[in-house]
Amino acid sequence: LDEEFGNGGNDIAPANQKTLNRIMKLRTFKALQQAAGGKVGVDFKDSSWSDDGASAQYMTLREKNGETYTGSDDGSISVYRSAFSTYRKTAGIIIHEFGHAISRYSGFFAHSYNTRYKDWNKAIALDEIFAFHFQDRFGVSFYQQNSNLYDVHLQRSLNKL
């Protein structure tokens, strides 16, 4: 991020597709794209939040059609207006969503559902924990800002298991 943005990584990121395209051209995001099978689109959604209150979300095409699906087909990351703050934070949110895509592509999610839980909500919770762990590996903290408390979404997922 610093190569592309320099000290501007902490500047306000405009909420638009152009910003997402700029982030996706970075070396790290090209590698994430490959790790997720090369089939993940990243699209700007001009509303504040998704229907379930997320600022961004990964979904396979089958899930978008209402199917309960644990596999990996073409998917996309929808990034809503609320995900845009600084370039660095916006990139961190996209990294988190790539964690979900890679969980699907690697078979982690299917394994969690098919052999571990047979419970969709628990598999989703474990997948959320996977994505938080994934983002942490890239230096994106899963703690609340200026706190030693977990992000509320992570804590909610931990409580479900």
Side-chain angles (χ1 to χ4, degrees):
L1 193 73
D2 292 334
E3 274 181 33
E4 171 72 17
F5 297 99
N7 291 333
N10 293 320
D11 290 349
I12 300 299
N16 58 42
Q17 187 64 45
K18 185 177 177 183
T19 298
L20 297 178
N21 293 345
R22 192 173 174 198
I23 290 170
M24 290 306 298
K25 288 180 182 172
L26 300 174
R27 183 180 30 182
T28 297
F29 290 89
K30 287 179 182 177
L32 289 172
Q33 181 68 263
Q34 278 189 315
K39 300 177 181 181
V40 179
V42 178
D43 303 307
F44 173 67
K45 300 294 181 189
D46 197 11
S47 60
S48 294
W49 306 94
S50 70
D51 292 340
D52 64 356
S55 59
Q57 67 186 152
Y58 170 77
M59 212 177 246
T60 65
L61 296 177
R62 286 181 171 189
E63 287 175 297
K64 285 183 181 181
N65 292 328
E67 192 175 332
T68 301
Y69 178 66
T70 62
S72 168
D73 63 0
D74 293 358
S76 64
I77 296 171
S78 297
V79 183
Y80 297 87
R81 201 170 268 292
S82 58
F84 291 82
S85 56
T86 66
Y87 286 101
R88 191 172 311 286
K89 288 181 180 176
T90 303
I93 288 170
I94 296 168
I95 287 171
H96 175 94
E97 296 307 320
F98 263 106
H100 292 297
I102 290 168
S103 166
R104 295 300 183 96
Y105 186 72
S106 69
F108 177 83
F109 184 82
H111 178 76
S112 299
Y113 179 77
N114 293 323
T115 62
R116 202 162 182 184
Y117 291 114
K118 296 281 189 203
D119 178 310
W120 184 255
N121 290 325
K122 285 188 177 185
I124 290 287
L126 188 59
D127 190 62
E128 193 63 33
I129 293 165
F130 178 93
F132 274 104
H133 182 300
F134 186 83
Q135 78 181 43
D136 184 58
R137 292 175 55 206
F138 284 88
V140 181
S141 177
F142 49 71
Y143 290 100
Q144 294 178 32
Q145 191 170 356
N146 301 320
S147 172
N148 63 350
L149 299 174
Y150 288 144
D151 177 282
V152 293
H153 300 290
L154 173 58
Q155 188 61 59
R156 193 174 306 135
S157 295
L158 289 167
N159 291 345
K160 287 182 181 179
L161 297 180

